[in-house]
Amino acid sequence: MDFWQIIRRLFPFVKPYKLLITISLFLTLIGAVAAQVNPVVLRYTVDSIEQLIKEGKTAQQSTSLLLFISGILFGKEIINIAVKYGQSMIGERLRVNLSSNLAQHAIEKILTYKYAFFAADENATGKLQTRIDRGAESLTSFVQNIFVDLLPLFANAILALILMFNANFYVGLIASIIMPIYFLLSWRQAGLFKGVRRGLRGLREQKTNGLFNIIESIIVIKSFVREEYERGKQYQLQQNLINAQLKQRKTNYVFDALKTFIEQVGVVLIIILTAYLVLDQQMTIGAIMFHILLFNNVSAPIRQLHRIYDQINEALTYSEGFFEVLDADFAIEESGSLITENLRGEFELKNVDFTYPNGIKALLDVNMTIPAGKTVAFVGLSGAGKSTLLNLLCKFYAPNDGEILLDGKNLQEYDTRLLRRKIGLVLQKNHIFRGSIEENIRYGNMRANFEEVVEATKQAYLHDQIEQLPNKYQNDAQQLSGGQQQRVAIARLFLKNPPIIFLDEPTASLDAIATEQVKNSLDAIKENRTVVIISHSISQIIDSDVIFVLKEGRVVESGTHDELYAKGKTYREIFNASARSLNLDRISKTLEIENTFDTNLK
Ligand code: ADP
Ligand code: MG
């Protein structure tokens, strides 16, 4: 992106602040005029004093002149202060508003994107956040830069240059000849600076991440006694950071010195030329001061140029990533218009093929019917494509080939948001938001009252445990154990009360007792709903109405437990392996002994 593209993209965001900007531009003009007052007044002073000396006047006789001059200088300073104040207030207001508008716009935009967008590697949580934050931040400082630095400084410079040319063409010429040299130097400086700065930023990020990683993995570090190793890694990082910083200082120092030198050359040239012109009686003696001060006005902005240039460069770099996020229109979630009133909840998959955006073929020619109001289980080794199937049924992804029908209509034709209201999804690891337990459960139905929240929590067998927490339902949900968090997710599902339920290994992280409890409450909710369950626990699949066995993206068997077991193929293998892993022999022996014991007692 170049400078003008950014301006064009920013225009809609800045437009609401037209009035502020107009005021700011007006202030800029006043400020530029005020900046020329000093040279003009000084010239006038010197010339008047020279005149007074010639006329043989004393200091007392000149008080009116001195009062007049002081008055103008003070007056100018007051105007200056007011202008500066106004400019920075406007700049600040623009900055704050713009930054929040940009961030809000980005957030609103990405919320409309489909799941696939977030699953893509280049949009991983941290990366996306950095792009949005940095982008908004640097675009904001870009705008602030223009109004607080760039425009005022250049308005000053141009006005000063006009005055110089106006006073004498050659003096103006010298002042303007210095400019390109200056520009060139600043350009080089900013160019060199860019590389160094990028390196520095990378190192700083690594350093922050390094610290973050240490804190996060402290248990692993300590248990493997890797303190020395981590210390060394951090030390090396710090060293690199120090070197890069010193290098940056050095570069800057060299260039600043060069620029000061060139500036001095300019000053000297102007002194010589004006002195000559004064002696030649083409100018009054006040002109020397006049031109030196004006030249200072010309060179001041250029002295800052590398900094401004650098910041603009930074804005260019980051805004690209930012606008890329805003422009990802291809990622906007598709939605049909079919409404989902009175869904029966029958899914039918016909020759469904699906390949993930990264090229992994996850489903091949899948055909199945998930009958309305029944419970269906997907069974298969990990990586078989079970979760992928659920992703497709939730419309997170669309099949590449074939079609998915819901109650006879293509899933793509349904209104996506209405459809999702009808689907309850519980995953193996469910997201718990920062906030209280109550808030987290209420996410299932924002309008639910507290009694309903409690009722759902009871169904998920979580209520009694919450009652024992110090703040009960107001406790931080993220402090709950994995199994408890899982039941928060299930309570959320109960509160949502959808006609279609997808469960992806819902009890994988629960202990045995919780698993049994959750199974009971899930069994209770299954009535008259379409339920798809993925589970490794035999007990949960065994009494499903239909079981689909997946292998490497294909459905290889389907039927009831008894049918599939009798077939003696993949399902039986998986079933037997699960049974063996449970050590059923030993378990049944224990249970037998207990039974005999019980019988003996009777
Ligand atoms: P299961 O749930 O049966 O264990 P999945 O449906 O999660 O299996 O995965 C099926 C295949 O798709 C695997 O090869 C897996 O690596 C791949 N896969 C899963 N999720 C993604 C994703 N977001 N992007 C790319 N490939 C994926
Ligand atoms: Mg899975």
Side-chain angles (χ1 to χ4, degrees), residues 78-360:
I78 287 168
I79 291 176
N80 227 354
I81 289 170
V83 166
K84 285 263 158 61
Y85 176 77
Q87 270 177 333
S88 51
M89 285 327 278
I90 289 174
E92 197 59 22
R93 186 172 283 198
L94 212 56
R95 192 181 68 76
V96 178
N97 279 308
L98 192 66
S99 108
S100 92
N101 289 354
L102 285 168
Q104 181 66 20
H105 185 79
I107 291 169
E108 280 170 16
K109 196 74 199 267
I110 64 169
L111 277 172
T112 67
Y113 290 168
K114 52 188 167 194
Y115 176 65
F117 175 82
F118 298 92
D121 188 44
E122 72 265 22
N123 296 323
T125 326
K127 289 187 202 166
L128 195 57
Q129 189 199 353
T130 313
R131 267 208 282 177
I132 293 174
D133 281 353
R134 282 274 160 72
E137 202 179 294
S138 59
L139 280 169
T140 313
S141 51
F142 173 80
V143 170
Q144 203 189 15
N145 248 319
I146 291 183
F147 288 103
V148 176
D149 285 339
L150 202 65
L151 286 181
L153 284 172
F154 277 87
N156 278 0
I158 288 167
L159 214 60
L161 214 57
I162 291 175
L163 285 181
M164 288 178 97
F165 269 109
N166 195 37
N168 183 287
F169 177 76
Y170 294 101
V171 185
L173 203 60
I174 286 185
S176 24
I177 282 173
I178 301 289
M179 298 251 273
I181 305 179
Y182 238 98
F183 264 112
L184 215 66
L185 276 174
S186 287
W187 185 287
R188 282 289 301 149
Q189 186 177 12
L192 284 176
F193 203 60
K194 197 163 136 189
V196 181
R197 184 167 43 79
R198 211 164 269 172
L200 260 179
R201 183 178 324 115
L203 286 170
R204 286 213 183 95
E205 270 164 25
Q206 277 181 30
K207 198 179 127 186
T208 322
N209 282 344
L211 187 57
F212 183 77
N213 286 340
I214 287 183
I215 297 171
E216 207 185 33
S217 21
I218 192 71
I219 291 192
V220 185
I221 295 173
K222 292 220 166 273
S223 67
F224 284 91
V225 201
R226 290 282 180 265
E227 286 95 339
E228 273 308 299
Y229 171 71
E230 293 294 332
R231 194 190 67 84
K233 241 173 41 181
Q234 289 304 309
Y235 181 74
Q236 196 49 48
L237 258 178
Q238 301 281 10
Q239 288 304 312
N240 294 346
L241 194 60
I242 291 175
N243 291 340
Q245 272 169 331
L246 288 179
K247 190 170 157 210
Q248 181 195 24
R249 287 283 139 74
K250 212 163 88 185
T251 319
N252 266 350
Y253 184 77
V254 170
F255 275 93
D256 286 345
L258 261 174
K259 286 198 292 194
T260 314
F261 184 74
I262 303 249
E263 195 181 343
Q264 278 313 304
V265 171
V267 172
V268 169
L269 285 178
I270 284 171
I271 292 178
I272 293 174
L273 185 61
T274 41
Y276 169 80
L277 292 171
V278 170
L279 290 172
D280 205 34
Q281 306 215 324
Q282 291 188 38
M283 280 184 178
T284 55
I285 193 159
I288 298 181
M289 276 315 272
F290 177 68
H291 285 297
I292 290 175
L293 287 181
L294 282 181
F295 183 66
N296 191 44
N297 279 354
V298 175
S299 61
I302 309 179
R303 227 176 289 146
Q304 311 261 1
L305 198 66
H306 79 277
R307 189 175 57 77
I308 298 172
Y309 186 86
D310 186 59
Q311 283 167 344
I312 288 178
N313 252 333
E314 176 159 310
L316 295 180
T317 317
Y318 284 127
S319 56
E320 207 150 322
F322 181 80
F323 286 121
E324 257 170 38
V325 173
L326 293 195
D327 291 343
D329 282 339
F330 61 88
I332 291 178
E333 198 152 56
E334 298 106 9
S335 178
S337 52
L338 220 53
I339 56 168
T340 50
E341 281 313 305
N342 308 320
L343 270 191
R344 286 188 301 117
E346 182 195 71
F347 286 95
E348 195 178 354
L349 284 80
K350 291 184 178 166
N351 311 101
V352 169
D353 281 342
F354 178 70
T355 305
Y356 276 104
N358 65 0
I360 292 185

Side-chain angles (χ1 to χ4, degrees), residues 119 356 358 360 362 381-389 397 504-505:
Y356 276 104
N358 65 0
I360 292 185
L381 301 182
S382 123
K386 307 180 295 292
S387 303
T388 306
L389 256 177
Y397 293 96
D504 193 347
E505 305 187 26

Side-chain angles (χ1 to χ4, degrees), residues 457-525:
T457 316
K458 279 184 181 156
Q459 285 180 306
Y461 291 97
L462 186 59
H463 178 72
D464 293 342
Q465 291 187 20
I466 292 178
E467 283 297 306
Q468 285 171 16
L469 297 172
N471 298 320
K472 307 218 159 80
Y473 278 83
Q474 298 317 312
N475 241 72
D476 180 3
Q478 287 184 331
Q479 283 172 359
L480 295 173
S481 74
Q484 290 170 330
Q485 291 191 356
Q486 188 68 7
R487 276 177 284 167
V488 166
I490 290 170
R492 215 187 257 161
L493 171 82
F494 287 154
L495 198 59
K496 183 174 179 180
N497 196 15
I500 300 170
I501 295 177
F502 296 147
L503 306 162
D504 193 347
E505 305 187 26
T507 53
S509 58
L510 298 185
D511 56 63
I513 293 189
T515 302
E516 194 188 6
Q517 291 171 340
V518 167
K519 182 184 180 304
N520 290 341
S521 48
L522 285 176
D523 284 346
I525 202 182

Side-chain angles (χ1 to χ4, degrees), residues 355-375:
T355 305
Y356 276 104
N358 65 0
I360 292 185
K361 283 199 170 63
L363 295 176
L364 294 159
D365 197 25
V366 172
N367 288 288
M368 64 167 66
T369 303
I370 300 171
K374 302 279 185 206
T375 298

